[in-house]
Amino acid sequence: MVALVDRLQIVVPCFNEEEALPETARQLCGVIESCIARGSIANSSSVLFVDDGSSDKTWRLIEALHASQPQRYDGIRLSGNFGHQAALWAGLSASTAEMVVTIDADLQDDPNAIETMVARYHDGADIVYGVRSERQSDTWFKRNSAGLYYKLLGLLGAEILPQHADFRLMSRRAIAALLQYSETNLFLRALVHRLGFETAQVAYRRTPRVAGATKYPLGKMLHFAIDGITSWSVAPLRAIGIIGLAVSLLAFLLGLWTLWAKLFTDQSIPGWASIMLPLMLFQGLQFIFLGVIGEYVGKIFLETKRRPRFIVRETASDGIAARPDRREREGGAR
Ligand code: UDP
Ligand code: MG
């Protein structure tokens, strides 16, 4: 009798990836075949593509892959573009295997690291992080802004692993734990970091995209960066209070100084600049603070709506039924 080996599913979010998809599918399939040959994963292991509302041929390619090798390729098609994080969530919710790897569709994360991840899983890790040993292939701007951002996140109390994005392996129980989180504003890498469990790391080199252009233009990236902070940490709100206190103290000292100048010196009354400059400074600060508060109020607004994080349009799969978001199952769209 053949010993039972755990099954692997590789979840791949795809947004307009028609150019990269054929090569990605080929390489991921290669990794699966080689792991099967080593006996580290089950024969029934597969790739699960999540089409995040692509407007190009992505879904047709996924359907064709499924038709050619139904046991190797599955697909879920979301009804629109819900974003990278929601697409990952959709894939994780639909997954059934004992271990699941999430990886981008553009092969920037090295698929060969998956074999090592599987080995760490067998060593007992529930979460295996893919960690970039270098990212020369990214632009100077992206590398440095990312480095600064990780530091800022750390300072604000959102613990994440530097140089780790969303390339990771998770065990069934880690996924089950993750799926208990019910927030709409998803920042997966911080949520996963919070889960606990036995973890391991696998280093890999980040390479350039195989094909196509980035689906994260600057605007989307900034949005993601702000979401990362405001969906996780209330430190900016607290900082407002502290800055407010400091500013009030400053104003009080300024008042004392004015009084002193008036009573004990014959200096002329402070002029236009000394009134206008602080006025403008504080006005500016107030707008920034209102903006920060607005960010959080917006988040509360979205969370209280408890919208489904994704909606499935159709699937290309023999095994996996279209699984709605947990919230849809619980109580229908609210
Ligand atoms: N992606 C997605 N939905 C989106 C944007 C991106 O599913 O709205 C996918 C995309 O197809 C890719 C992954 O998320 O597989 C990462 O995107 P990309 O490689 O464009 O980001 P970058 O590596 O440039 O940060
Ligand atoms: Mg990429």
Side-chain angles (χ1 to χ4, degrees), residues 227-306:
D227 274 357
I229 293 174
T230 52
S231 73
W232 195 259
S233 162
V234 290
L237 278 179
R238 251 176 239 147
I240 288 181
I242 294 169
I243 296 174
L245 266 178
V247 166
S248 313
L249 189 70
L250 207 70
F252 179 68
L253 292 177
L254 205 69
L256 283 184
W257 176 78
T258 317
L259 201 64
W260 175 81
K262 171 85 180 155
L263 293 180
F264 302 110
T265 73
D266 53 359
Q267 281 172 2
S268 59
I269 313 158
W272 186 84
S274 60
I275 296 173
M276 283 312 278
L277 287 182
L279 209 69
M280 277 153 65
L281 176 75
F282 296 141
Q283 197 69 19
L285 278 180
Q286 272 182 22
F287 275 111
I288 295 172
F289 293 172
L290 282 176
V292 176
I293 292 172
E295 264 296 316
Y296 284 94
V297 173
K299 290 260 148 33
I300 295 167
F301 173 69
L302 289 176
E303 293 293 349
T304 50
K305 279 188 174 311
R306 291 179 61 78

Side-chain angles (χ1 to χ4, degrees), residues 143-176:
R143 267 181 285 138
N144 286 278
S145 59
L148 262 179
Y149 179 65
Y150 288 145
K151 284 216 181 77
L152 181 68
L153 266 180
L155 283 176
L156 294 177
E159 268 182 64
I160 57 163
L161 204 61
Q163 300 309 334
H164 164 70
D166 286 303
F167 180 32
R168 70 178 82 85
L169 178 149
M170 294 178 80
S171 69
R172 177 69 7 223
R173 66 173 176 182
I175 295 171

